[in-house]
């Protein structure tokens, strides 16, 4: 058998930071700061060198049409120091016609970001992405089955993408309690984020003992699948227009361990 398959390509990167932070504690430390790194627990300046992330990217190839992607990430800010960020299979057959059909299935981000186009769902443009992409990175990821239909036109491409997903009911819990943030944090599969120490969650507050002081983005509470559908247009790589409708169909009446689905 002269077939080169199966095979696996392994790559990775290490991200180190020189940090100088003051003012508020970070939201990752239950503070009100909206950046990844903030002041020390005592409220003073924080100056340190830190390993932000070490990632190993596994890309198995089972045939010319069937590939996979598994980014394994180490970060001291994760619930588990070593955890996966994504893990999916992609079927992309060669097509000589003007219509191409492909699909993906597994744990993955929806095809919404125009910034995170580099290895390990990182951005080649800036260290800190936009606020909306920061939110996508921390909460908007699920176990998904996705299909894509691409039509090649004379000088452009038009594509329709649709997906059904589970394990994403807690999306917007962190955003609702904390608000927008600016950071490059990527939610890992077993991640549990702390919620900020705001008055409504503290003793005497309206939601004290009604809302847990943490959220798990990858959790299914109501057993209802969500879906998304998007339309993309690409003109010769010079102009790109993307639109995506995303609905997790969450049922907020389903409560488990003081956590519940958010209707996004």
């Amino acid at each position: 058998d002269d077939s080169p398959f199966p095979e696996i390509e392994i790559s990775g990167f290490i991200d180190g930071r020189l940090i100088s932070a003051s003012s508020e504690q970070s939201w990752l430390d239950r503070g009100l700061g909206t950046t990844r790194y903030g002041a020390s627990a005592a409220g003073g300046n924080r100056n340190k060198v830190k390993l932000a992330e070490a990632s190993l990217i596994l890309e198995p190839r089972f045939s010319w049409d069937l590939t996979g992607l598994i980014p394994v990430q180490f970060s001291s800010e994760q619930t588990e120091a070593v955890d996966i960020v994504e893990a999916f299979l992609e079927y992309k057959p060669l097509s000589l016609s003007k219509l191409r059909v492909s699909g993906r299935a597994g744990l993955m981000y929806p095809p919404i970001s125009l910034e995170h186009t580099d290895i390990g769902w990182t951005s080649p443009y800036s260290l800190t992405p936009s606020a909306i992409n920061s939110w996508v990175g921390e909460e908007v990821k699920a176990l998904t089955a996705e299909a894509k239909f691409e039509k090649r036109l004379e000088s452009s491409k038009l594509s329709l993408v649709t997906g059904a997903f589970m394990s994403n009911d807690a999306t917007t819990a962190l955003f609702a309690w904390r608000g927008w943030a600016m950071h490059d944090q990527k939610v890992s599969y077993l991640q549990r984020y702390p919620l900020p120490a705001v008055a409504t969650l503290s003793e005497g507050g309206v939601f004290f003992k009604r809302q847990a002081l943490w959220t798990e983005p990858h959790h299914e509470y109501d057993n209802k699948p969500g879906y998304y559908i998007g339309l993309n247009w690409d003109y010769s790589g010079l102009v790109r227009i993307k639109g995506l409708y995303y609905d997790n169909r969450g049922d907020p009446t389903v409560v488990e361990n003081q956590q519940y689905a958010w209707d996004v």
Side-chain angles (χ1 to χ4, degrees):
D1 184 3
D2 295 329
S3 172
F5 307 113
E7 65 177 14
I8 185 169
E9 181 178 326
I10 301 175
S11 58
F13 64 90
I14 295 176
D15 181 356
R17 306 283 174 91
L18 176 61
I19 302 165
S20 179
S22 59
S23 188
E24 296 282 357
Q25 276 186 265
S26 168
W27 61 276
L28 286 166
D29 297 321
R30 291 207 69 208
L32 299 178
T34 56
T35 56
R36 182 171 178 175
Y37 305 108
S40 67
N45 290 0
R46 174 179 287 176
N47 301 294
K48 63 186 301 185
V49 176
K50 183 179 179 64
L51 176 62
E53 175 186 347
S55 283
L56 187 67
I57 314 297
L58 308 177
E59 298 180 80
R61 179 176 290 275
F62 303 99
S63 69
W64 294 114
D65 300 335
L66 184 62
T67 60
L69 179 67
I70 309 173
V72 182
Q73 177 175 275
F74 166 82
S75 173
S76 60
E77 293 146 17
Q78 294 174 175
T79 304
E80 299 293 334
V82 178
D83 200 357
I84 60 172
V85 176
E86 294 183 283
F88 62 84
L89 291 173
E90 182 172 19
Y91 181 64
K92 195 172 185 178
L94 178 65
S95 174
L96 299 178
S97 72
K98 292 186 177 182
L99 178 64
R100 172 180 288 181
V101 181
S102 60
R104 301 188 299 168
L107 177 68
M108 58 192 182
Y109 285 105
I112 190 174
S113 177
L114 292 174
E115 299 175 51
H116 294 85
T117 59
D118 217 337
I119 183 173
W121 211 77
T122 58
S123 171
Y125 309 111
S126 64
L127 185 63
T128 301
S130 64
I132 191 168
N133 272 266
S134 295
W135 172 60
V136 171
E138 70 194 16
E139 287 196 292
V140 189
K141 178 155 53 72
L143 295 171
T144 307
E146 176 191 282
K148 183 178 181 180
F149 307 89
E150 183 180 276
K151 179 71 172 178
R152 301 171 191 165
L153 306 174
E154 186 174 340
S155 55
S156 62
K157 292 185 296 185
L158 185 65
S159 60
L160 173 71
V161 60
T162 183
F165 59 86
M166 298 285 284
S167 185
N168 192 222
D169 283 340
T171 293
T172 70
L174 183 59
F175 172 72
W177 292 109
R178 183 212 57 206
W180 293 110
M182 298 283 286
H183 59 81
D184 61 338
Q185 178 75 201
K186 292 173 292 186
V187 60
S188 61
Y189 186 61
L190 300 176
Q191 184 70 48
R192 173 181 284 192
Y193 285 130
L195 296 181
V198 294
T200 52
L201 296 177
S202 303
E203 187 171 357
V206 175
F207 289 94
F208 182 62
K209 291 188 177 181
R210 298 174 63 189
Q211 163 69 58
L213 299 179
W214 47 266
T215 178
E216 293 175 338
H218 291 307
H219 205 104
E220 184 64 37
Y221 294 107
D222 59 14
N223 296 315
K224 290 171 57 180
Y227 70 95
Y228 59 78
I229 184 167
L231 191 64
N232 310 321
W233 181 67
D234 186 316
Y235 179 74
S236 300
L238 301 175
V239 179
R240 288 181 184 174
I241 299 176
K242 300 181 68 171
L244 187 84
Y245 178 81
Y246 190 95
D247 186 354
N248 74 345
R249 300 178 63 240
D251 183 354
T253 65
V254 178
V255 181
E256 179 184 315
N257 296 326
Q258 298 177 22
Q259 293 283 353
Y260 42 87
W262 290 70
D263 188 7
V264 183

